[in-house]
Amino acid sequence: MQCKDKVAIVTGGTRGIGHAIALMLAREGADICFSYLKNTEAAESLAQEIEKLGGKARALQLDVRDFEKSKELVETAKSHFGRLDIVVNNAGITRDKALMMMTQEDWHEVIDTNLNGAFNVTRHAIVTFLKQRQGNIVTITSVTGLIGLPRQTNYAAAKAGLIGFTKALAREVAAYNIRVNAVAPGLIETDMVAHLKEEYKEALKKRIPLGRFGKAEEVAATVRFLLSESAGFITGQTIVLDGGLSIV
Ligand code: NDP
């Protein structure tokens, strides 16, 4: 139980990758404060699942695009569980479109959620981490931030931004015993991918050397490694898990 007595924040915990990460953290002994946007039923069910695993959970319906609201996540983790050790920036959305069809709203919504959302939560958490001279941050970026998939200029820009954010922050806070890393998944079987057209999914699968999409649990396992003592010398890095899609 590598996270025993630790407290973690997970943004976007109700579904997909965030859900798998929250359950992984609970199995590792952490208490979890997670956020979601709309899905209250899923939030209640996740809180129950965490409690069944012996952890404590606190669900907060808040939009990570809102800087002030994001502070509530950090404050609730600290007031409710008494400490904060881990932040997983996971909340994200796509609004895939060819650039010539993309509206300003499509652009801003994606940048605000994926990139600004991670800034908002991390900006509040870092104050606590610096004071206690200890902390661990993992951000979920995407392989598209490295290779750029078509119809994802907004999403690729946000995810590439998160890779730069991870590198810069890792250098900035390393002296305070704070590690900052990112995970870049390829296509993972979640709601985000479920809505893609079948022909497009099949075409993408053909480009993946391992011939399949990944599982949310595989992303959670990589996050688990980055949070562990075995990864104690790793900071500022982005670990890619994409079945080989981005091999050059
Ligand atoms: P899902 O669409 O399955 O889940 C998204 C989660 O984020 C939900 O819990 C949702 O809450 C929450 N969320 C969305 N917007 C906000 C917001 N503004 N404020 C707070 N919470 C929000 O996504 P995935 O699990 O597939 O993706 C998780 C992360 O992994 C994202 O950052 C995504 O970009 C990244 N990723 C995913 C890949 C994939 O193939 N699936 C590949 C590479 C990266 P609610 O349930 O209430 O809507």
Side-chain angles (χ1 to χ4, degrees):
M1 295 243 279
Q2 71 179 38
C3 299
K4 195 169 171 344
D5 299 328
K6 295 201 169 157
V7 175
I9 284 176
V10 179
T11 65
T14 39
R15 288 185 284 124
I17 293 171
H19 183 264
I21 292 170
L23 290 182
M24 174 280 291
L25 286 165
R27 278 188 206 100
E28 292 299 331
D31 292 332
I32 298 144
C33 198
F34 66 89
S35 72
Y36 64 101
L37 189 59
K38 305 180 275 233
N39 210 331
T40 303
E41 213 175 297
E44 282 165 6
S45 134
L46 174 61
Q48 282 170 9
E49 282 179 273
I50 291 171
E51 275 152 25
K52 264 191 211 147
L53 290 167
K56 294 193 202 91
R58 191 89 184 144
L60 273 93
Q61 183 171 20
L62 62 84
D63 192 332
V64 294
R65 290 172 292 184
D66 185 325
F67 182 70
E68 286 308 321
K69 284 267 170 204
S70 298
K71 195 174 188 177
E72 271 180 42
L73 257 179
V74 174
E75 283 175 350
T76 305
K78 287 170 66 184
S79 63
H80 208 74
F81 299 126
R83 54 185 293 135
L84 178 63
D85 305 279
I86 293 163
V87 168
V88 181
N89 289 307
N90 165 78
I93 57 161
T94 48
R95 295 283 179 271
D96 296 355
K97 260 173 215 169
L99 186 66
M100 68 172 289
M101 304 303 287
M102 193 174 285
T103 63
Q104 273 187 302
E105 198 188 355
D106 296 325
W107 177 267
H108 287 297
E109 245 190 293
V110 167
I111 301 286
D112 280 352
T113 306
N114 293 275
L115 183 59
N116 299 347
F119 163 76
N120 291 342
V121 176
T122 311
R123 170 64 182 81
H124 295 301
I126 204 74
V127 178
T128 300
F129 286 174
L130 288 169
K131 275 191 201 144
Q132 69 195 22
R133 290 185 160 261
Q134 178 252 322
N136 213 326
I137 301 168
V138 177
T139 297
I140 312 301
T141 171
S142 165
V143 75
T144 202
L146 293 165
I147 62 170
L149 291 168
R151 296 164 49 83
Q152 291 197 323
T153 49
N154 48 0
Y155 187 68
K159 294 304 196 184
L162 287 173
I163 294 170
F165 174 81
T166 298
K167 291 180 184 180
L169 185 61
R171 283 186 196 274
E172 195 176 302
V173 299
Y176 293 83
N177 190 30
I178 302 167
R179 293 192 296 110
V180 189
N181 290 292
V183 172
L187 286 125
I188 307 296
E189 283 165 1
T190 68
D191 294 346
M192 189 177 270
V193 166
H195 75 263
L196 296 174
K197 284 192 183 130
E198 275 313 312
E199 313 91 83
Y200 185 55
K201 283 201 272 190
E202 283 312 309
L204 279 171
K205 224 175 252 179
K206 287 198 181 108
R207 288 179 56 194
I208 301 171
L210 287 179
R212 65 170 177 92
F213 292 167
K215 294 182 174 41
E217 290 70 25
E218 292 174 308
V219 182
T222 307
V223 173
R224 179 178 176 276
F225 167 67
L226 284 172
L227 293 173
S228 73
E229 279 178 22
S230 308
F233 201 45
I234 301 179
T235 198
Q237 301 304 312
T238 297
I239 309 282
V240 179
L241 67 150
D242 66 351
L245 177 66
S246 64
I247 295 171
V248 283

